[in-house]
Amino acid sequence: MKNNQMNQTAVHILLILLSAACLFPFLLLFMASFTDEQSIVKDGYTLFPSRLSFAAYDYLWNQASTMTRAYGITIFITAVGTFVGLLISSLLAYPLSRKDMPVRGFLAFVVFFTLLFNGGLVPTYLVYTELFHMKNSLLALIVPGLLTNGFFVLLIRSFFSTSIPVPIIESAYIDGASEFKIFYRIVLPLSLPILATIGLMLTISYWNDWFNGLIYITEPKLFSIQNLLNRMLSNIQFLQQNSLGGNASAAAATIPMNSVRMAMAVIGIVPIVCIYPFFQKYFVKGLTIGAVKG
């Protein structure tokens, strides 16, 4: 009995230390965003800075209107992209999970094939800009490379195959339910863990994406928050490295580049950190149940 208690205590201590190690970078990042620029240059990043400063957030506050619009765009594309991505992935995964589907094997191969090969950046860019005319549109932030992928489809298919009882579907058929009604009223409510898991993955992907904005968006009014922060950081670096004249040099010297970089990271990750605890239990359950076998 004592050995079991000692083992549990040791495991708890180990988990607490691991949790603290995971939280340490976020705490260091947060404190660095409030650290005076000269203190960072002199002492480096620390949890207990010698001088605190709000200069980084003052700098970002001066861009409040632009950042508010960028936040709105990011929230919109994240919400729409997550919903549509879940819908498409689940609609494709459901027939693949049905053993009586005639071309099930061929479609599964096509989905898996997309995990191994793609058309490359230049052909993809030409297709979305020249064929679909998505450049400088919100669709360019939603569709390319993010809306869904084969991994999500196969993961949902595995969950449907292993966790949705076949007798329930057969009894629904006997009662006269259509295929769509079975999917909507029975399959989806029983698949909340895997849907929450994929939804969280899609949400993180959309929220953190800056690459689509870099490639397809040139209009500043369509910048997402990550794309805007990336461009702001590039502009700061450009000012500091290439400033000419007294006014430009003075303006560049007053920008707290290191603390602004940390403040940008804080602004970018805080929403995701806040919503993750609400999805955590579904995230773990969805991965462990849905990935048992295909």
Side-chain angles (χ1 to χ4, degrees), residues 121-200:
L121 179 58
V122 174
T124 300
Y125 176 82
L126 292 176
V127 167
Y128 283 120
T129 57
E130 302 296 331
L131 183 61
F132 295 116
H133 304 288
M134 288 187 182
K135 188 172 183 178
N136 284 324
S137 69
L138 291 180
L139 285 176
L141 299 175
I142 296 175
V143 177
L146 295 173
L147 192 59
T148 188
N149 62 57
F151 173 71
F152 293 163
V153 174
L154 295 178
L155 196 62
I156 298 175
R157 184 205 64 173
S158 296
F159 187 93
F160 288 166
S161 300
T162 59
S163 302
I164 306 299
V166 176
I168 293 180
I169 297 178
E170 293 176 347
S171 63
Y173 269 129
I174 295 174
D175 292 337
S178 64
E179 200 72 59
F180 177 78
K181 192 171 185 179
I182 293 173
F183 175 75
Y184 175 71
R185 299 294 297 272
I186 297 176
V187 175
L188 290 185
L190 293 176
S191 304
L192 184 59
I194 192 64
L195 294 179
T197 300
I198 302 302
L200 180 61

